[in-house]
Amino acid sequence: KETSNYSILTESLLGLAKVFEKKEQLDSSLHFGKESFHIAYDNQFLLNALDATVLLSRVYKKTKNIDSSYAYQETMIMLKDSIDSRDKIKHIQFMTTEEEIRQKEIAEQKQIEIKERNQKLQLLLIGLSIPIFFLLSVMISRNKVHRKLIEFFGVVSILMLFEYITLLLHPFVAEKTGHSPFY
């Protein structure tokens, strides 16, 4: 009682009540059982209170006090219903939380897929622009155009080719080297 650990106190009192019941000292069993029940019920330890009502109902039945036994059986049924409803509420809350987490994961997966699709489209555009620049520089070279313009398109197409190769190889190289810039 001094440490206010009522859970252990109710279990201890209930244990004493069970011991006295086995020794056929039913008055002591009733005393400790009632005390256990009241402390458990007042502190919302419903499982401990339920155990105490089961014991009290059984002991009152042994003492031929049927009306008290019946009263504690009604209390026992009420406590069972209360425990069951709390368990159902907790289960529903758990399922709701799981569904929210699942919906967030689906939304994150969609975002990842959108980013991957955009990256693939960009790589496709870069891949298509390389031959276009190359063909453009070849077509311009056949016409009378300034030499610097032809060199510019040739250099741009070669730079884009190397950049495209780098972009394609980057995931494999990064995976093999562990994203280490040194390697």
Side-chain angles (χ1 to χ4, degrees), residues 15-180:
L16 282 172
K18 287 179 181 179
V19 168
F20 282 120
E21 179 191 13
K22 284 186 180 180
K23 293 197 174 240
E24 296 296 325
Q25 295 177 0
L26 301 179
D27 290 341
S28 298
S29 179
L30 286 173
H31 170 72
F32 288 113
K34 286 179 185 177
E35 194 171 342
S36 174
F37 170 73
H38 290 297
I39 292 171
Y41 191 77
D42 291 343
N43 291 295
Q44 296 295 313
F45 300 126
L46 298 182
L47 290 174
N48 292 354
L50 179 66
D51 291 341
T53 57
V54 170
L55 174 103
L56 288 170
S57 176
R58 188 174 57 235
V59 172
Y60 273 123
K61 197 180 274 184
K62 286 182 181 179
T63 60
K64 308 281 191 239
N65 195 345
I66 302 299
D67 56 339
S68 296
S69 175
Y70 179 73
Y72 278 106
Q73 281 183 345
E74 284 183 345
T75 306
M76 178 180 62
I77 291 170
M78 178 201 61
L79 287 172
K80 279 185 181 179
D81 290 343
S82 177
I83 290 169
D84 288 344
S85 67
R86 283 187 179 185
D87 288 343
K88 287 179 184 176
I89 290 170
K90 285 180 183 178
H91 181 69
I92 290 170
Q93 287 174 342
F94 178 72
M95 289 177 58
T96 304
T97 304
E98 276 187 343
E99 181 62 22
E100 288 174 1
I101 290 171
R102 191 179 73 80
Q103 291 297 331
K104 286 180 182 178
E105 288 174 352
I106 289 172
E108 288 173 2
Q109 185 64 31
K110 284 182 181 179
Q111 290 294 327
I112 290 170
E113 289 174 1
I114 289 171
K115 285 181 181 180
E116 286 177 355
R117 192 178 93 234
N118 286 340
Q119 188 177 17
K120 287 179 182 177
L121 285 173
Q122 290 172 3
L123 287 174
L124 178 67
L125 286 174
I126 292 171
L128 290 175
S129 64
I130 292 170
I132 291 172
F133 273 112
F134 181 72
L135 289 175
L136 191 61
S137 64
V138 169
M139 288 174 48
I140 291 176
S141 68
R142 293 184 183 201
N143 296 336
K144 289 188 175 184
V145 179
H146 197 273
R147 193 174 131 223
K148 295 279 186 184
L149 185 63
I150 297 169
E151 288 176 359
F152 172 75
F153 280 118
V155 169
V156 168
S157 65
I158 290 173
L159 285 175
M160 289 183 73
L161 175 66
F162 285 127
E163 184 64 26
Y164 187 71
I165 292 171
T166 304
L167 287 172
L168 287 178
L169 292 178
H170 176 72
F172 302 113
V173 172
E175 183 180 320
K176 296 294 180 190
T177 62
H179 294 282
S180 174

